Amino acid sequence: MAAITEGYMPYMGYKTYYRIVGERKNNGKAPLICLHGGPGSTHNYYEVLDNVADDDDRMIVMYDQIGCGNSYLDGHKELWNQKVWLDELVALREYLGLDECHIIGQSWGGMMQIAYAIDYKPKGVKSFIISSGHPSSSLWEREGLRRIKMMPQDMQDAISKALETGVFEGEDYDRAVSEYMARYCDYWQPADTLPECCTREKRKGTEAYVEGWGPNEFAPTGTLRDFEYIDRLHEVEIPSLICSGISDLCSPLVAKTMADGIPDSEWILWERARHTCFVDRHDDYCEKLIEWMNRHD
């Protein structure tokens, strides 16, 4: 069983929690860095990949981005933006000496990868695994609104009313959102069969999410509302494995847009999976993940 090391990195006068599984070895295998979703989620669900440290003899690095989990912070709305979170990734690589690495990003973490590759031109990144991310907030919104039209009329009306009034609460609205998330976001398997790390209580970065994305999943109004990289995807020079679920917030159109735009990319559309393919299809996903990283080491 690989050793687990935890610690904190000083960042902007605060601190960023990190968790390392395994040890770096002189075996030609670059560490894997995990970027969680949200913004404002936590590293927790990535603990399902702990086995990769043993199965592939590779160090795995995960962390809670500033504003959530063990890096919780609120009352600082000025921090909840793309630059702060990307600079945190840069700082973490430097702090832990991760000159070479692979990076996996899920949802918002996948957005981070795209912006990191295009805006920062990082050195030493062997490959990306972009898991249910997106290259365009406007495309994400269009796909979300299209799917809402497939829901029962009363639920469509509840969401439309909320978007028109800006009041995102109430029994009808909550029921509609629960249905939408059950269709496209929730774990595929029942909660009582999930690993503990997926059901563990976590300290969500609600302020980070609302300021960064907005008060609803469908139409972004926060600092990431103008996240638009479709026309620049050809600038991603890092080999990229696109992963998405058949019933995923990242619709097949969103995933295909990334696969078509990123020059050196492959796309896997996972059956029996929603927004967290590495949980829903864990064993198959790990097998492909290990093969991909070894191919690009």
Side-chain angles (χ1 to χ4, degrees):
M1 185 71 176
I4 295 174
T5 304
E6 298 175 282
Y8 287 90
M9 172 189 74
Y11 183 61
M12 297 186 70
Y14 307 104
K15 60 182 182 179
T16 296
Y17 165 84
Y18 62 85
R19 177 180 183 272
I20 299 173
V21 187
E23 300 175 353
R24 195 172 340 190
K25 298 179 181 179
N26 187 23
N27 60 1
K29 297 190 176 188
L32 173 65
I33 302 175
C34 306
L35 308 179
H36 65 67
S41 186
T42 68
H43 81 278
N44 292 18
Y45 55 8
Y46 273 128
E47 292 183 22
V48 301
L49 299 181
D50 282 2
N51 63 286
V52 174
D54 285 318
D55 295 345
D56 196 34
D57 201 19
R58 186 185 302 271
M59 189 170 81
I60 315 294
V61 179
M62 50 196 79
Y63 68 105
D64 290 340
Q65 296 164 26
I66 188 170
C68 64
N70 293 325
S71 306
Y72 184 81
L73 183 68
D74 63 6
H76 292 275
K77 294 181 179 181
E78 74 280 1
L79 296 179
W80 315 135
N81 60 74
Q82 179 175 314
K83 185 178 187 302
V84 167
W85 285 308
L86 285 173
D87 286 349
E88 184 180 34
L89 171 59
V90 173
L92 186 78
R93 286 190 65 190
E94 181 176 354
Y95 186 79
L96 296 178
L98 303 173
D99 297 331
E100 293 186 338
C101 62
H102 299 270
I103 301 178
I104 182 173
Q106 188 265 346
S107 195
W108 150 243
M111 296 167 62
M112 287 179 66
Q113 290 172 287
I114 291 169
Y116 185 50
I118 293 172
D119 294 339
Y120 286 65
K121 303 295 183 186
K123 304 295 185 183
V125 180
K126 299 289 189 177
S127 80
F128 279 162
I129 303 90
I130 303 176
S131 207
S132 303
H134 79 69
S136 163
S137 290
S138 62
L139 175 60
W140 189 266
E141 179 177 355
R142 290 198 303 273
E143 282 291 271
L145 297 179
R146 178 183 65 80
R147 282 169 152 182
I148 289 170
K149 294 178 182 178
M150 303 176 189
M151 297 173 66
Q153 189 61 52
D154 62 325
M155 293 185 178
Q156 294 185 46
D157 294 343
I159 293 173
S160 295
K161 181 179 178 181
L163 291 171
E164 290 169 3
T165 62
V167 179
F168 300 99
E169 58 185 29
E171 183 177 343
D172 291 343
Y173 174 75
D174 291 343
R175 186 164 59 89
V177 171
S178 293
E179 173 63 21
Y180 183 84
M181 300 302 269
R183 292 186 182 197
Y184 303 114
C185 186
D186 294 349
Y187 296 119
W188 191 269
Q189 59 264 54
D192 60 1
T193 67
L194 287 167
E196 180 274 336
C197 63
C198 295
T199 59
R200 180 192 310 153
E201 185 175 354
K202 61 185 179 182
R203 194 168 193 183
K204 299 178 181 179
T206 302
E207 182 182 87
Y209 179 80
V210 171
E211 291 298 319
W213 185 255
N216 72 94
E217 177 60 36
F218 319 106
T221 57
T223 58
L224 299 173
R225 65 186 178 277
D226 297 321
F227 186 94
E228 299 293 338
Y229 285 89
I230 290 178
D231 293 339
R232 299 185 64 189
L233 287 174
H234 63 277
E235 297 179 37
V236 177
E237 299 176 348
I238 297 167
S240 298
L241 178 64
I242 315 297
C243 292
S244 63
I246 196 73
S247 301
D248 192 336
L249 291 175
C250 172
S251 73
L253 175 60
V254 173
K256 187 176 187 300
T257 299
M258 292 186 286
D260 287 348
I262 297 174
D264 187 3
S265 66
E266 296 180 15
W267 174 30
I268 300 177
L269 182 60
W270 293 100
E271 296 180 355
R272 305 186 306 281
R274 296 191 180 108
H275 200 44
T276 47
C277 309
F278 50 82
V279 177
D280 298 335
R281 296 293 303 276
H282 176 268
D283 292 350
D284 296 329
Y285 194 105
C286 287
E287 181 179 347
K288 183 60 183 179
L289 172 65
I290 290 170
E291 185 276 326
W292 173 264
M293 290 190 294
N294 279 275
R295 192 196 319 171
H296 293 282
D297 275 320

